[in-house]
Amino acid sequence: MLVLGIESSCDETGVALFDSEHNALLSHALHTQMAMHAEYGGVVPELASRDHIRRLVPLTNECLHKADKTYADIQAIGYTQGPGLGGALLTGAAFANALAFALNIPVIEVHHLEGHLLSPFLSEKNIRFPFLALLVSGGHTQIMAVEAVGKYTLLGESIDDAAGEAFDKTAKLLGLPYPGGAKLSQLAELGKDGAFEFPRPMINSGDFQMSFSGLKTAVLTCVKKQGERLPESTRNDICRAFQVAVVDVLYSKVKAALKHTGLTQLVVAGGVGANAALRAKLKTLNAEVFFPKHEWCTDNGAMIAYAAAQHLDKAHQAGGFTVKPRWALNMAFDAA
Ligand code: KG4
Ligand code: ZN
C-alpha cells in the first residue's frame, strides 16, 4: 500500500511516501521553519501553523514528483495527531483528512513519538523486538521497553525539561541562536574536559526518572560567576561540561534499564540522538545499539509514513477529526 505521511506537530513540515508492500521509502520532502522562529528565540505557534498551511501542498507535490507518482496512486494517509502544538497539528490533520476524503482513501492517526521510536527501522534492518528505547527529543526524554509495534512500557522519563529542551535553553543563556542544541554540541567538541563540573541530577535516584532543568540553572549560576564577558574558550568549556553531564545521566539510566529488563538491544531516537558525544558513549554499552540516520533524528514525514504503515489495520474513513496536543504514547495503545 502506498502511504502518504504528514508531519506538522511543531516547526517542521514533513511529507513522505512509503510503500508498505516493499518496505521502501519512495520519497520525502521537508521544510524547516527554524530560520523564521530564530528571530523570536523560540517557536511562535501561530506563525508555525500559518507556515505549515503554506508548505503542505507544495511539499506533497514535490514528494509525488520525486517518486514519479500522482495523487491517484496514494492509498492511505497517515498524519501526526499529537502530541505537539494544537494549531500546527490541526493544519496537518485538516490537510490529511480533506485530501483523503477527496481521494476516497482512509486515514491513519499517528503518535509523533511512535514515529520517532520506529524511525531507526527506516535505515536499519537488524533491529529485533523486544528492545529498550531511549527517546530524546526537544519535547520528551523517555526510556521505554518495546515489546512490539504498539506495545510500549514507559520505564522512566524526565520529570521536567526534556534533554533537547535543556540543550536549547542552555544554548540560549550562553547567547547561541535558536535552536541552539546542535550548536552547543559543536562548541562542546572544542571545549576542554574537566574545566567545569555540573551536577548529574537524579543519577542515583534508583529508578529511571530524570531531571534536566536544574542543570540549566547550574550553568546560569556558573555563567554569572564569570563576570560580564564570557571568553569563547570558557564558553566552550561550559558547553562541554554541560554536555558531559547530560550524556552521563542518559548513559547511566539506560545502563540500569538494560540491566533491569535484561534487554540486549537499544534503539535511540529523537533529535538529541544526533548528538555525537551521546552516540559515542552509548556505543560503549554492553548492548547492540541502533540510531536513526541523522536526517530521521529530527522531525520528518518519513517516520510518520513508516509508523502509519505499521498500523494499516487502524485505517478508517476520513472525515471529522481531532488532534491531541498532549498525548502519552502508552495511552495511545492502552486505550485501543
Ligand atoms: O526530535 P526533535 O525534532 O524534537 C521534538 O520532536 O521535540 O528534536 C529537536 C531537538 C532540539 O531540542 C534540538 O536542540 C535537539 O533536538 N538536537 C540536539 C542535537 N541536534 C538536535 N541536541 C543535542 N545535540 C545535537 N547534536
Ligand atoms: Zn519530534
Side-chain angles (χ1 to χ4, degrees), residues 4-330:
L4 180 76
I6 305 285
E7 159 60 29
S8 73
S9 67
C10 189
D11 57 350
E12 260 103 25
T13 322
V15 181
L17 273 172
F18 187 82
D19 176 345
S20 64
E21 261 133 60
H22 300 96
N23 195 28
L25 181 71
L26 302 190
S27 64
H28 80 101
L30 184 81
H31 174 77
T32 177
Q33 306 174 351
M34 237 177 241
M36 181 179 79
H37 297 297
E39 216 181 306
Y40 305 92
V43 176
V44 183
E46 182 62 21
L47 293 182
S49 313
R50 285 167 188 262
D51 200 66
H52 286 307
I53 292 170
R54 272 203 299 274
R55 310 284 172 187
L56 282 162
V57 174
L59 287 174
T60 304
N61 288 338
E62 181 186 333
C63 231
L64 288 167
H65 179 74
K66 281 184 186 163
D68 203 15
K69 300 283 180 197
T70 68
Y71 278 93
D73 294 319
I74 307 171
Q75 291 168 299
I77 304 181
Y79 67 95
T80 304
Q81 191 184 27
L85 301 170
L89 289 166
L90 275 172
T91 65
F95 175 73
N97 277 279
L99 183 57
F101 193 76
L103 295 173
N104 197 21
I105 56 173
V107 288
I108 302 155
E109 287 84 4
V110 175
H111 194 291
H112 181 80
L113 295 186
E114 186 178 35
H116 275 301
L117 196 65
L118 301 179
S119 64
F121 283 95
L122 282 165
S123 52
E124 207 26 272
K125 303 290 172 232
N126 296 322
I127 309 172
R128 300 278 172 267
F129 294 105
F131 56 78
L132 190 77
L134 171 66
L135 219 157
V136 267
S137 72
H140 295 83
T141 300
Q142 301 186 328
I143 297 175
M144 268 176 288
V146 178
E147 213 179 297
V149 169
K151 293 210 162 159
Y152 311 117
T153 307
L154 182 65
L155 299 176
E157 64 185 331
S158 173
I159 58 168
D160 41 51
D161 290 353
E165 191 179 356
F167 263 92
D168 292 339
K169 286 180 175 171
T170 303
K172 192 171 182 178
L173 68 88
L174 289 170
L176 306 176
Y178 166 86
K183 180 76 186 157
L184 188 159
S185 79
Q186 282 166 15
L187 298 180
E189 296 305 315
L190 306 174
K192 288 186 302 294
D193 264 330
F196 293 94
E197 179 81 13
F198 294 123
R200 271 77 169 143
M202 294 184 74
I203 201 162
N204 295 318
S205 64
D207 54 19
F208 310 112
Q209 298 291 82
M210 292 160 272
S211 161
F212 294 106
S213 71
L215 199 46
K216 163 196 72 202
T217 315
V219 172
L220 182 62
T221 311
C222 170
V223 169
K224 279 187 178 157
K225 270 196 209 147
Q226 304 303 311
E228 282 289 284
R229 274 182 54 84
L230 194 63
E232 263 181 33
S233 62
T234 311
R235 183 192 62 189
N236 297 348
D237 292 345
I238 292 174
C239 289
R240 191 166 187 99
F242 165 82
Q243 178 169 277
V244 169
V246 174
V247 168
D248 256 8
V249 172
L250 293 172
Y251 170 85
S252 140
K253 294 287 173 174
V254 165
K255 188 175 178 183
L258 283 167
K259 189 166 178 223
H260 174 80
T261 56
L263 293 167
T264 56
Q265 291 199 333
L266 172 69
V267 166
V268 183
V272 187
N275 186 280
L278 178 66
R279 286 186 174 222
K281 182 94 181 188
L282 292 176
K283 279 184 195 158
T284 68
L285 283 164
N286 189 18
E288 222 181 327
V289 191
F290 300 96
F291 300 95
K293 263 169 70 176
H294 275 82
E295 64 180 329
W296 310 138
C297 280
T298 41
D299 293 347
N300 63 83
M303 68 183 195
I304 301 305
Y306 182 83
Q310 309 313 306
H311 291 293
L312 294 178
D313 54 317
K314 285 194 191 169
H316 64 91
Q317 204 187 349
F321 58 85
T322 172
V323 294
K324 298 177 178 171
R326 297 178 72 82
W327 188 18
L329 182 55
N330 45 332

